[in-house]
Amino acid sequence: MKTKALALITAAALLMGGAAAQTQDSPQLNAILINTDPAPVQSGEDAEITFKIRNSGGATAEDVEVGLVDSFPFQLKPDRKRTYSIGDIGPSDGIQLPTYEVLVAENAPDGSNKLKLRISRGDLSYTETIPIQVQSQDIELNLANLQTVPTQLTPGTENAKMVVEVVNNGEKTAENVVVDVGLPESFQKTSSFSTRQAIGNLGPGQVKKAEFTFDIQKTAEKGTVRIPTNITYTTGESNNRITESANFRFHLAGKPQFKVVDVESNLKTGGTGQLRITVKNTGSEQASSSRIRVLDSSDLPFSYDSASHYIGTLEPDQNGTVVFDVTAGPDAVAKNYLLDFEIRGVKDTQTYVESTTVKVDIAEGDRDSGLPLPIIAAALLAAAGAYIFREKIAETLSR
């Protein structure tokens, strides 16, 4: 029994290997849709359909002919060419055919419908089907009245929001409507559902809102932002989902952005030194009245001659440097400290604020006896005076 089973398995493997080898060494022609005009095509209307024939096999397909087959709901328009002789197609090659002009039946069901093609090569002939999306003219969905929160979107905005209205300008209800938006690379969705919203059924003349949330990266470039959108729905006549493509645009405004690009210090324990900070405007807009302020650091052993310094106007990519006079108190130890600062600048009437943390090195300072120099000098003078006074008294007594 084992020998018989082994023989059957071996035979099956040989057959499968032979079939695979035959497939690899034979032409394999496939019809691939390029586009339709309109997209989707409309029931009861003309449509233009363009596709190509691709050879995914391992051998050349010779004497290839392709013709459109009339089948519901598509019919070639009168006096249009039906069959094309396209000759040989090599392995992995493809040939685009001239556009077919067809009539779409009035009662074509919404959703995916099959367009049939007859492909022939030599004595072999077979039928290929291409799925074509059909939409009833009774449903017409459009986008309108885009709003954003905040009203002016800028790079670095978190939890931004887009709200767009979906309008049914047709005469029939669109069921199970779902709106999907595509975000540019510099935009990030805040959840797996933040770019997709189901709004239910949409009757004739009805309007519903779809809302989407996202973050905008600081590196996003200002200018016009295009949001591609897909609206899918069913009609109740079929479970096939119909997809309509649309897009909307909004302007991403620029703004000043700040970054600390250099920190220098000569601070030592038990003394006063300077902390030099260089700030760069990494944004796309000018910042006027720029300032940098040290945030509350009461838990750190430092005091400042001034907690805030004026930088002035910073153009995009321009640097500005300020110097803080810092005293490291008696509790300061030599190590790296993290200091928090706030940088702010003005564009038009809007103030932009960013917080940052810088690392500052404190070196070991000179340690003395702990007595100030004037006190030490006074003590020495007092000791010298006492010595001279004693010497005079001793000299007087000796006489």
Side-chain angles (χ1 to χ4, degrees), residues 100-122:
Y100 275 109
E101 297 180 49
V102 301
L103 300 173
V104 186
E106 284 275 3
N107 57 341
D110 287 337
S112 180
N113 288 260
K114 294 179 180 179
L115 175 73
K116 295 184 179 181
L117 301 172
R118 174 68 62 182
I119 300 177
S120 302
R121 55 179 179 88

Side-chain angles (χ1 to χ4, degrees), residues 336-356:
N336 295 329
Y337 288 86
L338 296 179
L339 303 181
D340 295 326
F341 289 86
E342 177 186 85
I343 309 169
R344 61 176 57 216
V346 178
K347 175 185 176 291
D348 300 329
T349 59
Q350 179 72 37
T351 300
Y352 294 92
V353 180
E354 294 188 30
S355 297
T356 187

Side-chain angles (χ1 to χ4, degrees), residues 33-344:
L33 177 67
I34 295 178
N35 58 49
T36 68
D37 185 17
V41 302
Q42 305 291 308
S43 57
E45 296 291 331
D46 299 351
E48 295 182 352
I49 301 175
T50 305
F51 61 92
K52 70 178 180 180
I53 301 298
R54 185 175 186 274
N55 182 3
S56 58
T60 297
E62 300 178 347
D63 302 325
V64 178
E65 288 189 352
V66 180
L68 186 142
V69 178
D70 289 339
S71 62
F72 180 83
F74 304 107
Q75 182 178 2
L76 186 68
K77 292 182 67 175
D79 303 325
R80 300 304 193 269
K81 189 171 181 177
R82 182 180 298 274
T83 303
Y84 292 92
S85 297
I86 56 180
D88 298 344
I89 306 178
S92 301
D93 289 342
I95 295 180
Q96 179 174 323
L97 270 71
T99 297
Y100 275 109
E101 297 180 49
V102 301
L103 300 173
V104 186
E106 284 275 3
N107 57 341
D110 287 337
S112 180
N113 288 260
K114 294 179 180 179
L115 175 73
K116 295 184 179 181
L117 301 172
R118 174 68 62 182
I119 300 177
S120 302
R121 55 179 179 88
D123 297 332
L124 179 64
S125 181
Y126 54 93
T127 300
E128 277 275 313
T129 60
I130 299 179
I132 304 294
Q133 287 287 327
V134 176
Q135 173 187 297
S136 168
Q137 290 184 312
D138 293 333
I139 297 176
E140 183 183 350
L141 301 184
N142 302 105
L143 301 177
N145 298 330
L146 170 68
Q147 295 180 331
T148 64
V149 180
T151 304
Q152 187 180 72
L153 297 181
T154 58
T157 303
E158 296 182 349
N159 293 317
K161 184 185 298 183
M162 291 185 300
V163 182
V164 64
E165 293 181 348
V166 185
V167 185
N168 185 356
N169 291 317
E171 300 175 352
K172 186 178 178 181
T173 297
E175 300 181 3
N176 307 310
V177 179
V178 176
V179 185
D180 284 281
V181 298
L183 297 177
E185 291 184 1
S186 54
F187 289 52
Q188 295 179 329
K189 57 184 181 181
T190 56
S191 74
S192 57
F193 302 102
S194 61
T195 57
R196 182 181 187 275
Q197 185 165 6
I199 59 176
N201 296 346
L202 202 60
Q206 191 174 7
V207 179
K208 287 189 176 180
K209 291 183 178 181
E211 183 177 297
F212 311 96
T213 56
F214 51 92
D215 296 332
I216 306 176
Q217 296 179 358
K218 288 185 175 182
T219 55
E221 295 184 1
K222 69 176 182 179
T224 300
V225 178
R226 177 181 173 273
I227 305 294
T229 307
N230 283 333
I231 309 172
T232 62
Y233 61 92
T234 60
T235 63
E237 300 174 356
S238 169
N239 290 328
N240 292 331
R241 293 198 68 82
I242 301 168
T243 301
E244 290 190 34
S245 297
N247 63 77
F248 53 88
R249 293 175 171 82
F250 64 83
H251 181 73
L252 184 67
K255 72 172 186 179
Q257 299 183 74
F258 307 104
K259 180 180 180 180
V260 172
V261 294
D262 190 44
V263 177
E264 298 179 5
S265 70
N266 60 358
L267 304 182
K268 295 183 179 181
T269 58
T272 298
Q274 291 186 332
L275 173 62
R276 182 183 299 270
I277 297 178
T278 301
V279 176
K280 182 177 183 178
N281 179 2
T282 59
S284 58
E285 298 290 336
Q286 179 195 82
S288 61
S289 303
S290 302
R291 303 189 70 87
I292 181 170
R293 179 173 68 91
V294 63
L295 298 178
D296 179 34
S297 57
S298 57
D299 57 332
L300 297 176
F302 303 116
S303 59
Y304 304 84
D305 66 327
S306 175
S308 176
H309 282 281
Y310 183 76
I311 303 174
T313 297
L314 287 178
E315 299 290 343
D317 293 325
Q318 185 180 3
N319 293 345
T321 301
V322 297
V323 178
F324 288 88
D325 289 328
V326 185
T327 300
D331 296 333
V333 296
K335 67 173 188 177
N336 295 329
Y337 288 86
L338 296 179
L339 303 181
D340 295 326
F341 289 86
E342 177 186 85
I343 309 169
R344 61 176 57 216

